[in-house]
Amino acid sequence: MGTIREGGCLCGAVRFKTDGEPVNIRICHCRNCQKSMGSPFFARALFDQRALTVEGDTAGYLSSDALDRMFCKACGTRLFSRRTNGTVVGVALAAFDDRNTFAPTEHIWVAEKIDWVRLDDGLPQYQETVPQ
């Protein structure tokens, strides 16, 4: 077992734990993330789905064939973006109890960034996803 980190939604009805280290930590600027988060971007830590345990009542919205976005049914806090193929899940960075647990390492889908967002943090930027 690795390092356990915990978090939850605004109202406390949903609690989660992650086990171990994330696959990556990114800020996504794609239009789907903007719309689903109601925010200029989605800052998330990506984990193997087996590393995430969730307690509480969540609902989901299939925003594409590949991604199911999960939120608290009671307060609406957007918590996770789960790959429908069962591989990985993005966990919202601000939903962790220690909101400074993880720091992003790169920006993706910058081609769809909102014009007034300024990226001057020195992190790598990719027009779409990260090249393999």
Side-chain angles (χ1 to χ4, degrees), residues 24 26 28 30 32-33 42 44 46-50 52 61-70 80-91 108-109 129-130 132:
N24 61 55
R26 294 179 177 154
C28 184
C30 82
N32 278 349
C33 280
F42 180 31
R44 54 90 177 136
L46 194 71
F47 287 89
D48 182 299
Q49 284 188 18
R50 296 169 294 188
L52 175 68
Y61 176 75
L62 196 60
S63 63
S64 70
D65 290 341
L67 208 57
D68 193 16
R69 298 182 186 264
M70 311 301 294
F80 317 113
S81 59
R82 185 174 56 203
R83 289 279 171 189
T84 56
N85 66 7
T87 57
V88 290
V89 59
V91 180
I108 59 173
W109 287 99
T129 191
V130 177
Q132 297 301 321

Side-chain angles (χ1 to χ4, degrees), residues 5-126:
R5 294 174 182 94
E6 298 184 35
C9 66
L10 179 63
C11 74
V14 175
R15 296 290 301 161
F16 66 85
K17 293 180 183 181
T18 59
D19 184 359
E21 297 306 310
V23 175
N24 61 55
I25 308 160
R26 294 179 177 154
I27 297 174
C28 184
H29 297 269
C30 82
R31 189 64 178 137
N32 278 349
C33 280
Q34 292 167 3
K35 293 287 277 189
S36 69
M37 298 305 287
S39 172
F41 48 76
F42 180 31
R44 54 90 177 136
L46 194 71
F47 287 89
D48 182 299
Q49 284 188 18
R50 296 169 294 188
L52 175 68
T53 56
V54 179
E55 293 180 2
D57 207 7
T58 61
Y61 176 75
L62 196 60
S63 63
S64 70
D65 290 341
L67 208 57
D68 193 16
R69 298 182 186 264
M70 311 301 294
F71 54 92
C72 171
K73 278 187 170 181
C75 68
T77 300
R78 297 157 195 86
L79 296 165
F80 317 113
S81 59
R82 185 174 56 203
R83 289 279 171 189
T84 56
N85 66 7
T87 57
V88 290
V89 59
V91 180
L93 296 184
F96 282 94
D97 291 342
D98 177 357
R99 62 184 179 213
N100 294 303
T101 295
F102 299 110
T105 60
E106 53 207 355
H107 295 270
I108 59 173
W109 287 99
V110 174
E112 297 183 6
K113 176 184 72 63
I114 293 175
D115 290 345
W116 52 259
V117 171
R118 300 289 174 251
L119 303 181
D120 59 2
D121 55 15
L123 297 178
Q125 299 177 23
Y126 300 95

